């Protein structure tokens, strides 16, 4: 394993303290789950801790939102009130990035998520997240886009406005200062 994908002992301790405090503060997101069991899973998975650290570092504020009963894995989503600030102003994927003639963003959603070791939220997962609170009331988030939409040049995005969730679309090559992406990680 690359040393780049490993947190130092101090970073690990700080991350676990942050995650535990967020877990305890937001019990409505994970009813019936205990921090001790989540922490036990985290202690044995160095790369997943690194990915959670990347989610935290880019402003995602990851938190446990469920347990996959089939695999026994805990599911973390980015739970920041607005789209993660450290992931904004990027287009959807490499193809979209290369299609831009000028004013190219520095990165793409799909490449950044892969580098962080996380997945993009799907439309269904984004709607599930919104059941836990109000997210993206001033920003928006790119969503994992079905291939038939992407083949036509588009990509999905979503936001919370006027008391409801709106799922929309844009050209995959577009990017905005108030749009990032939300990720998920299973541990």
């Amino acid at each position: 394993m690359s040393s780049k994908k490993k947190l130092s002992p101090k970073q690990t301790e700080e991350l676990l303290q942050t995650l535990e405090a967020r877990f305890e503060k937001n019990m409505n997101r994970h009813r019936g789950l205990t921090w001790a069991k989540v922490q036990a899973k985290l202690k044995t998975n160095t790369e997943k801790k690194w990915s959670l650290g990347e989610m935290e570092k880019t402003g995602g504020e990851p938190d446990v939102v469920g347990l996959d009963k089939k695999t026994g894995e805990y599911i973390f989503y980015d739970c920041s009130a607005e789209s993660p600030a450290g992931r904004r102003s990027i287009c959807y994927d490499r193809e979209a990035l290369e299609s831009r003639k000028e004013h190219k963003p520095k990165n793409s959603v799909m490449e950044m998520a892969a580098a962080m070791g996380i997945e993009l939220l799907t439309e269904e997962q984004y709607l599930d997240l919104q059941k836990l609170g109000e997210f993206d009331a001033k920003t928006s988030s790119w969503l994992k886009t079905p291939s038939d939409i992407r083949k036509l040049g588009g990509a999905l995005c979503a936001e919370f406005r006027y008391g409801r969730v709106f799922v929309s679309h844009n050209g995959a090559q577009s990017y905005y200062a108030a749009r990032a992406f939300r990720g998920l990680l299973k541990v």
Side-chain angles (χ1 to χ4, degrees), residues 41 48 66-75 119 184-187:
K41 283 260 186 159
K48 301 277 178 135
L67 175 67
D68 185 324
K69 290 182 170 69
K70 290 180 185 173
T71 65
E73 294 173 302
Y74 290 98
I75 304 165
E119 299 174 43
L184 77 96
L185 181 72
K186 291 185 178 184
V187 179

mmCIF file of all heavy atoms in Angstrom, residues 41 48 66-75 119 184-187:
data_model
loop_
_atom_site.group_PDB
_atom_site.id
_atom_site.type_symbol
_atom_site.label_atom_id
_atom_site.label_comp_id
_atom_site.label_asym_id
_atom_site.label_seq_id
_atom_site.Cartn_x
_atom_site.Cartn_y
_atom_site.Cartn_z
ATOM 1 N N LYS A 41 -14.565 -1.356 13.279
ATOM 2 C CA LYS A 41 -14.372 -1.591 11.837
ATOM 3 C C LYS A 41 -13.318 -0.658 11.269
ATOM 4 O O LYS A 41 -12.508 -1.060 10.442
ATOM 5 C CB LYS A 41 -15.688 -1.378 11.079
ATOM 6 C CG LYS A 41 -16.650 -2.495 11.202
ATOM 7 C CD LYS A 41 -16.589 -3.368 9.975
ATOM 8 C CE LYS A 41 -17.684 -4.399 10.081
ATOM 9 N NZ LYS A 41 -18.059 -4.963 8.850
ATOM 10 N N LYS A 48 -9.509 2.841 4.182
ATOM 11 C CA LYS A 48 -10.833 3.452 4.357
ATOM 12 C C LYS A 48 -10.733 4.662 5.292
ATOM 13 O O LYS A 48 -11.407 5.667 5.077
ATOM 14 C CB LYS A 48 -11.840 2.439 4.898
ATOM 15 C CG LYS A 48 -12.033 1.233 4.008
ATOM 16 C CD LYS A 48 -13.003 1.474 2.894
ATOM 17 C CE LYS A 48 -13.111 0.259 2.012
ATOM 18 N NZ LYS A 48 -14.448 -0.115 1.645
ATOM 19 N N GLY A 66 -25.980 4.430 7.737
ATOM 20 C CA GLY A 66 -26.638 3.134 7.719
ATOM 21 C C GLY A 66 -25.664 1.982 7.792
ATOM 22 O O GLY A 66 -24.448 2.165 7.861
ATOM 23 N N LEU A 67 -26.238 0.796 7.778
ATOM 24 C CA LEU A 67 -25.482 -0.447 7.809
ATOM 25 C C LEU A 67 -26.012 -1.330 6.685
ATOM 26 O O LEU A 67 -27.222 -1.562 6.592
ATOM 27 C CB LEU A 67 -25.666 -1.145 9.160
ATOM 28 C CG LEU A 67 -25.038 -2.519 9.329
ATOM 29 C CD1 LEU A 67 -23.518 -2.430 9.318
ATOM 30 C CD2 LEU A 67 -25.512 -3.163 10.626
ATOM 31 N N ASP A 68 -25.121 -1.787 5.814
ATOM 32 C CA ASP A 68 -25.497 -2.715 4.751
ATOM 33 C C ASP A 68 -25.653 -4.085 5.393
ATOM 34 O O ASP A 68 -24.674 -4.710 5.793
ATOM 35 C CB ASP A 68 -24.422 -2.725 3.662
ATOM 36 C CG ASP A 68 -24.799 -3.571 2.470
ATOM 37 O OD1 ASP A 68 -25.451 -4.620 2.648
ATOM 38 O OD2 ASP A 68 -24.417 -3.197 1.346
ATOM 39 N N LYS A 69 -26.871 -4.540 5.518
ATOM 40 C CA LYS A 69 -27.146 -5.797 6.224
ATOM 41 C C LYS A 69 -26.556 -7.011 5.500
ATOM 42 O O LYS A 69 -26.230 -8.009 6.132
ATOM 43 C CB LYS A 69 -28.641 -5.958 6.438
ATOM 44 C CG LYS A 69 -29.178 -4.970 7.466
ATOM 45 C CD LYS A 69 -30.660 -5.162 7.705
ATOM 46 C CE LYS A 69 -31.180 -4.392 8.863
ATOM 47 N NZ LYS A 69 -31.265 -3.028 8.850
ATOM 48 N N LYS A 70 -26.395 -6.926 4.184
ATOM 49 C CA LYS A 70 -25.831 -8.047 3.428
ATOM 50 C C LYS A 70 -24.334 -8.204 3.670
ATOM 51 O O LYS A 70 -23.835 -9.307 3.804
ATOM 52 C CB LYS A 70 -26.080 -7.863 1.927
ATOM 53 C CG LYS A 70 -27.521 -8.031 1.514
ATOM 54 C CD LYS A 70 -27.680 -7.828 0.025
ATOM 55 C CE LYS A 70 -29.154 -7.866 -0.362
ATOM 56 N NZ LYS A 70 -29.351 -7.513 -1.766
ATOM 57 N N THR A 71 -23.620 -7.085 3.706
ATOM 58 C CA THR A 71 -22.157 -7.139 3.820
ATOM 59 C C THR A 71 -21.646 -6.835 5.223
ATOM 60 O O THR A 71 -20.479 -7.083 5.513
ATOM 61 C CB THR A 71 -21.505 -6.133 2.848
ATOM 62 O OG1 THR A 71 -21.871 -4.808 3.242
ATOM 63 C CG2 THR A 71 -21.923 -6.389 1.408
ATOM 64 N N GLY A 72 -22.494 -6.236 6.072
ATOM 65 C CA GLY A 72 -22.057 -5.836 7.401
ATOM 66 C C GLY A 72 -21.218 -4.571 7.394
ATOM 67 O O GLY A 72 -20.606 -4.230 8.400
ATOM 68 N N GLU A 73 -21.216 -3.861 6.265
ATOM 69 C CA GLU A 73 -20.416 -2.640 6.165
ATOM 70 C C GLU A 73 -21.235 -1.426 6.600
ATOM 71 O O GLU A 73 -22.422 -1.323 6.304
ATOM 72 C CB GLU A 73 -19.960 -2.415 4.715
ATOM 73 C CG GLU A 73 -19.007 -3.464 4.199
ATOM 74 C CD GLU A 73 -18.733 -3.288 2.717
ATOM 75 O OE1 GLU A 73 -19.689 -3.318 1.924
ATOM 76 O OE2 GLU A 73 -17.552 -3.132 2.366
ATOM 77 N N TYR A 74 -20.559 -0.498 7.290
ATOM 78 C CA TYR A 74 -21.176 0.770 7.649
ATOM 79 C C TYR A 74 -21.074 1.697 6.446
ATOM 80 O O TYR A 74 -20.070 1.711 5.743
ATOM 81 C CB TYR A 74 -20.485 1.388 8.869
ATOM 82 C CG TYR A 74 -20.776 0.593 10.120
ATOM 83 C CD1 TYR A 74 -19.865 -0.338 10.600
ATOM 84 C CD2 TYR A 74 -21.986 0.753 10.793
ATOM 85 C CE1 TYR A 74 -20.148 -1.090 11.736
ATOM 86 C CE2 TYR A 74 -22.273 0.005 11.925
ATOM 87 C CZ TYR A 74 -21.355 -0.918 12.381
ATOM 88 O OH TYR A 74 -21.648 -1.658 13.493
ATOM 89 N N ILE A 75 -22.130 2.482 6.228
ATOM 90 C CA ILE A 75 -22.196 3.373 5.076
ATOM 91 C C ILE A 75 -22.020 4.811 5.553
ATOM 92 O O ILE A 75 -22.786 5.285 6.402
ATOM 93 C CB ILE A 75 -23.540 3.222 4.342
ATOM 94 C CG1 ILE A 75 -23.751 1.757 3.928
ATOM 95 C CG2 ILE A 75 -23.601 4.152 3.130
ATOM 96 C CD1 ILE A 75 -25.181 1.434 3.536
ATOM 97 N N GLU A 119 -17.222 6.700 -3.785
ATOM 98 C CA GLU A 119 -18.169 6.675 -4.891
ATOM 99 C C GLU A 119 -19.052 7.909 -4.831
ATOM 100 O O GLU A 119 -19.246 8.481 -3.761
ATOM 101 C CB GLU A 119 -19.083 5.445 -4.787
ATOM 102 C CG GLU A 119 -18.363 4.123 -4.853
ATOM 103 C CD GLU A 119 -19.331 2.980 -4.598
ATOM 104 O OE1 GLU A 119 -20.455 3.008 -5.142
ATOM 105 O OE2 GLU A 119 -18.962 2.072 -3.836
ATOM 106 N N LEU A 184 -19.817 8.581 -1.037
ATOM 107 C CA LEU A 184 -20.128 7.566 -0.040
ATOM 108 C C LEU A 184 -18.964 6.601 0.050
ATOM 109 O O LEU A 184 -18.198 6.427 -0.894
ATOM 110 C CB LEU A 184 -21.427 6.829 -0.379
ATOM 111 C CG LEU A 184 -21.400 5.776 -1.464
ATOM 112 C CD1 LEU A 184 -21.228 4.386 -0.875
ATOM 113 C CD2 LEU A 184 -22.695 5.814 -2.226
ATOM 114 N N LEU A 185 -18.857 6.008 1.220
ATOM 115 C CA LEU A 185 -17.814 5.019 1.495
ATOM 116 C C LEU A 185 -18.411 3.957 2.376
ATOM 117 O O LEU A 185 -19.093 4.267 3.352
ATOM 118 C CB LEU A 185 -16.627 5.686 2.185
ATOM 119 C CG LEU A 185 -15.448 4.773 2.510
ATOM 120 C CD1 LEU A 185 -14.706 4.382 1.229
ATOM 121 C CD2 LEU A 185 -14.497 5.444 3.486
ATOM 122 N N LYS A 186 -18.151 2.702 2.033
ATOM 123 C CA LYS A 186 -18.590 1.584 2.872
ATOM 124 C C LYS A 186 -17.378 1.037 3.604
ATOM 125 O O LYS A 186 -16.330 0.797 3.007
ATOM 126 C CB LYS A 186 -19.236 0.484 2.030
ATOM 127 C CG LYS A 186 -20.568 0.901 1.451
ATOM 128 C CD LYS A 186 -21.225 -0.241 0.723
ATOM 129 C CE LYS A 186 -22.580 0.168 0.190
ATOM 130 N NZ LYS A 186 -23.275 -0.975 -0.455
ATOM 131 N N VAL A 187 -17.532 0.845 4.916
ATOM 132 C CA VAL A 187 -16.447 0.356 5.765
ATOM 133 C C VAL A 187 -16.932 -0.876 6.508
ATOM 134 O O VAL A 187 -17.901 -0.825 7.219
ATOM 135 C CB VAL A 187 -15.996 1.425 6.792
ATOM 136 C CG1 VAL A 187 -14.893 0.883 7.674
ATOM 137 C CG2 VAL A 187 -15.569 2.682 6.094
#
